[in-house]
Amino acid sequence: MKDTLSILLVDDHSVVRAGYRTLLIESDFIGEVFEASSGEQACQQYLQCQPDVVVMDLSMPGIGGLETIKRLKLRDENAKVLVFSMYEEAVYVTRALQAGAKGYITKRSAPENMIHAVEQVAKGKIYVEKHLSQYVTRTSEISVLDQLKPREFDLFCLLAKGMTTREASEELALSYKTAANYVTSIKSKLNVRSHSEFTLLAQQHGVISDTSIKS
């Protein structure tokens, strides 16, 4: 490992990036910290700055975090991505790792945990936050949700939580027509007909809990 690491920090909220940037540059072994506000920008930035580790949120407008991980791995099979996310459900951890991420921590983890995670991922190790590590062994399990492409999965999760198609399209920065086409595809793949069936299926697969459903 080099004396100092370069980091590409990806999050669509500038305040969040500023906070984590400050945290990262305070570490002795981290040098340059680049920033991107979307998955699309991250893919462009990655080719330009060639960071040692990408620290990235999953929930972003545009192509989203999962698709970004896949695209980065296609550009560079050795890309090292550490996900930091508000999501703690097993399905998010497994899908991130399946997409090619090398690490997963939550946004509520202690600051020093992120520094440790970055260091481990930079060394080529898999790092998953302790209380989520039980999910690493489940990445080979087959789920009906594995049929969904990354953006379909993101949309499915929002609809399962009670959003309308229009609300979900705005949340993901998609056109309504694109979102509606995704919904048609999701219903066909999962053999569901209504948003309430989305919710039931999401609960069965640990995507959401009763408290995360929009009333």
Side-chain angles (χ1 to χ4, degrees):
M1 193 168 70
K2 298 185 304 185
D3 290 338
T4 60
L5 300 173
S6 59
I7 307 295
L8 176 57
L9 182 61
V10 189
D11 192 288
D12 59 316
H13 295 101
S14 58
V15 174
V16 173
R17 292 199 309 274
Y20 282 104
R21 178 187 177 87
T22 299
L23 169 65
L24 290 166
I25 61 177
E26 286 179 350
S27 173
D28 293 336
F29 67 87
I30 294 176
E32 291 185 285
V33 178
F34 305 96
E35 296 183 36
S37 60
S38 68
E40 292 88 340
Q41 188 179 28
C43 291
Q44 295 175 348
Q45 285 275 82
Y46 186 88
L47 295 176
Q48 295 169 6
C49 62
Q50 292 292 306
D52 295 298
V53 179
V54 178
V55 180
M56 184 173 64
D57 191 10
L58 284 184
S59 179
M60 296 184 292
I63 61 175
L66 292 173
E67 180 63 28
T68 301
I69 296 171
K70 293 181 68 175
R71 294 190 186 187
L72 289 175
K73 296 296 286 187
L74 286 173
R75 284 166 170 75
D76 177 8
E77 62 180 9
N78 296 314
K80 295 168 181 162
V81 180
L82 170 65
V83 171
F84 72 114
S85 173
M86 58 183 273
Y87 301 126
E88 300 186 30
E89 292 83 1
V91 67
Y92 291 101
V93 182
T94 57
R95 285 194 67 111
L97 295 176
Q98 287 169 345
K102 294 296 183 183
Y104 194 109
I105 61 175
T106 64
K107 287 188 174 181
R108 70 181 182 90
S109 62
E112 59 269 20
N113 194 39
M114 172 177 277
I115 300 300
H116 180 61
V118 167
E119 186 175 23
Q120 294 303 301
V121 169
K123 291 178 179 178
K125 298 180 180 179
I126 298 290
Y127 184 89
V128 178
E129 195 168 336
K130 188 173 181 179
H131 75 285
L132 302 175
S133 60
Q134 60 182 310
Y135 303 139
V136 175
T137 59
R138 301 181 186 178
T139 55
S140 62
E141 291 183 359
I142 298 175
S143 165
V144 66
L145 300 183
D146 289 343
Q147 302 174 76
L148 302 181
K149 295 177 181 179
R151 223 39 178 156
E152 290 175 341
F153 176 75
D154 292 337
L155 186 58
F156 167 78
C157 292
L158 295 179
L159 296 176
K161 292 176 182 178
M163 283 192 181
T164 64
T165 300
R166 187 167 298 281
E167 288 172 335
S169 69
E170 293 173 354
E171 177 74 15
L172 298 175
L174 299 172
S175 70
Y176 177 78
K177 182 178 180 180
T178 297
N181 288 337
Y182 276 143
V183 172
T184 300
S185 176
I186 293 168
K187 288 180 176 179
S188 176
K189 289 180 178 180
L190 302 183
N191 193 28
V192 295
R193 293 168 294 179
S194 66
H195 285 13
S196 61
E197 290 182 0
F198 279 14
T199 300
L200 179 60
L201 190 61
Q203 289 174 320
Q204 291 172 344
H205 288 269
V207 176
I208 60 173
S209 62
D210 291 339
T211 57
S212 63
I213 300 173
K214 181 180 176 181
S215 58

